[in-house]
Amino acid sequence: MKKNSTTYSILDLALVSKGHTLKDTYANVLELAQHAETFGYTRYWLAEHHNSSNIASSATSILIGYVAQGTSTIRVGSGGVMLPNHSPLIIAEQFGTLGAIYPNRIDLGLGRAPGTDRETAEAIRSDFMQAAHSFPNELEKIQTYFSAENATSKVRATVAEGVDVPVYILGSSTDSAHLAAKKGLPYAFASHFATAHLWDALKIYRDEFQPSEALQKPYVIVGVNIIIAETDEEAHRLSTSLIRMIVGIFTGKRDYVQPPTAMTAELEQVLQNPQIHQMLKYSFIGSKATVKAQVKEFMEQTDADELIAVTNIYAIKDRIRSYKLFAEIMKELQ
């Protein structure tokens, strides 16, 4: 491997498991973040989603504040804020406030997808499509509001001016790779579900990268699904919750995260569905030894600066255990 070390982080959707309340879910988010801090994770990102009963990370900036308040060193941020849903001024004010309260710990990851269905996107913001097309300009507004130089402007986000909140561009296609490269910003690719464009996006970003005040050389974060247990069999049993969740996405029957079951022939057949197989391409499931070999190969192929792990497991104790083992793997691979 070219790099001496690869950073490892967590992306959380605050998934709601069957039989759990929202309060339980948020308590589990904080518990996981606290453990992640002790395991050596660099950052804990929360995604923005709307109108989905099994995802509780809708008010992303509020959750970020909750996690930052309950931890002390780990970076906390958005993976990401879906900027077309929001006014850039309001986002700058929210994250400027967070950055002032928790100095050098807040990240602002920005995406252009709605994080929901079309009807909900329109309910959030009637001019969503126009805002999505204006994403580069909206991004520039955010950067302007955070700059100390904006103090002389008529429109200001006073709580953001000069506050250090790094901006990351998120993407699941090649469009965002061009933008991140042009702006000289770090780039996070959602390869934990959008696998088809990973290699093209990484090449575009690295080839076109222009150094900026924020970043002198390309910085790549790639998403992976990680489920680790004591044995391969147990890890695959835990993964049945993820498989059912994916089926719910494809069938439009989203439901709470279901308890795991034995891996059945029917579920194994579901995994062979071309769309689902492609979607879960960068999912590393098994014992520590099994996943370590898979992760090592993936790191060598991508030459990523950072892996951000998504672990969709029903029970918090199993999720924490999986993240502990993943941290051990990452330390051993350095």
Side-chain angles (χ1 to χ4, degrees):
M1 279 181 288
K2 188 177 77 178
K3 293 187 171 61
N4 294 323
S5 63
T6 301
T7 301
Y8 53 101
S9 297
I10 290 175
L11 174 61
D12 193 2
L13 279 70
L15 290 176
V16 184
S17 293
K18 185 179 181 181
H20 292 64
T21 64
L22 284 174
K23 188 171 177 60
D24 296 335
T25 301
Y26 295 137
N28 288 342
V29 165
L30 182 56
E31 184 181 354
L32 175 57
Q34 290 168 339
H35 278 90
E37 193 166 74
T38 67
F39 298 157
Y41 283 85
T42 295
R43 66 188 93 246
Y44 192 103
W45 278 4
L46 290 144
E48 176 186 344
H49 281 271
H50 302 281
N51 194 19
S52 188
S53 59
N54 61 351
I55 298 176
S57 57
S58 303
T60 316
S61 57
I62 294 174
L63 260 188
I64 289 168
Y66 170 67
V67 171
Q69 178 67 32
T71 52
S72 55
T73 57
I74 196 167
R75 298 193 67 89
V76 190
S78 57
V81 159
M82 301 296 105
L83 189 53
N85 290 340
H86 307 278
S87 151
L89 177 65
I90 297 299
I91 293 300
E93 289 178 339
Q94 289 178 354
F95 279 79
T97 301
L98 287 166
I101 298 172
Y102 310 104
N104 305 310
R105 291 187 57 208
I106 302 299
D107 296 329
L108 176 53
L110 296 170
R112 77 172 89 202
T116 189
D117 56 85
R118 191 186 69 186
E119 292 82 3
T120 306
E122 289 175 354
I124 293 169
R125 184 171 175 176
S126 59
D127 63 342
F128 174 84
M129 290 308 296
Q130 184 183 334
H133 289 307
S134 303
F135 183 64
N137 294 331
E138 302 283 275
L139 166 63
E140 201 146 309
K141 289 177 186 176
I142 292 262
Q143 291 181 301
T144 298
Y145 290 135
F146 271 100
S147 70
E149 293 74 27
N150 201 53
T152 58
S153 297
K154 283 189 175 180
V155 179
R156 300 169 59 192
T158 54
V159 293
E161 289 169 7
V163 178
D164 183 19
V165 176
V167 172
Y168 294 75
I169 300 297
L170 276 58
S172 56
S173 69
T174 53
D175 290 350
S176 51
H178 292 290
L179 179 62
K182 181 181 177 182
K183 299 290 288 184
L185 292 171
Y187 181 49
F189 192 85
S191 39
H192 59 290
F193 71 87
T195 60
H197 300 290
L198 172 63
W199 306 108
D200 287 343
L202 294 188
K203 186 175 190 319
I204 288 166
Y205 173 67
R206 287 167 172 154
D207 288 351
E208 298 181 5
F209 183 83
Q210 298 175 27
S212 68
E213 284 184 24
L215 202 61
Q216 288 301 300
K217 59 181 182 178
Y219 191 90
V220 169
I221 304 173
V222 289
V224 287
N225 289 303
I226 300 286
I227 295 179
I228 312 173
E230 295 305 312
T231 64
D232 287 350
E233 183 182 18
E234 173 61 10
H236 284 285
R237 187 184 76 84
L238 293 177
S239 76
T240 58
S241 302
L242 170 62
I243 297 168
R244 288 188 170 89
M245 194 172 82
I246 299 295
V247 169
I249 292 170
F250 278 100
T251 59
K253 297 176 182 175
R254 295 171 186 258
D255 198 359
Y256 300 112
V257 181
Q258 301 297 305
T261 63
M263 180 64 78
T264 64
E266 183 185 4
L267 287 173
E268 286 179 350
Q269 192 174 357
V270 165
L271 286 173
Q272 299 312 309
N273 174 286
Q275 283 181 293
I276 293 176
H277 184 73
Q278 179 71 30
M279 188 178 186
L280 295 176
K281 187 174 182 180
Y282 304 120
S283 299
F284 307 133
I285 299 168
S287 65
K288 182 180 170 182
T290 297
V291 172
K292 184 177 179 179
Q294 295 170 334
V295 168
K296 183 175 186 291
E297 182 182 13
F298 184 70
M299 286 167 59
E300 289 169 348
Q301 289 172 343
T302 60
D303 197 25
D305 299 281
E306 184 171 338
L307 295 187
I308 190 159
V310 182
T311 297
N312 294 327
I313 292 176
Y314 173 79
I316 184 62
K317 64 178 177 58
D318 294 326
R319 202 177 313 153
I320 290 169
R321 176 70 174 154
S322 179
Y323 275 120
K324 180 176 187 290
L325 293 170
F326 181 62
E328 290 175 7
I329 287 171
M330 294 303 292
K331 287 172 186 169
E332 290 166 11
L333 288 176
Q334 309 301 2

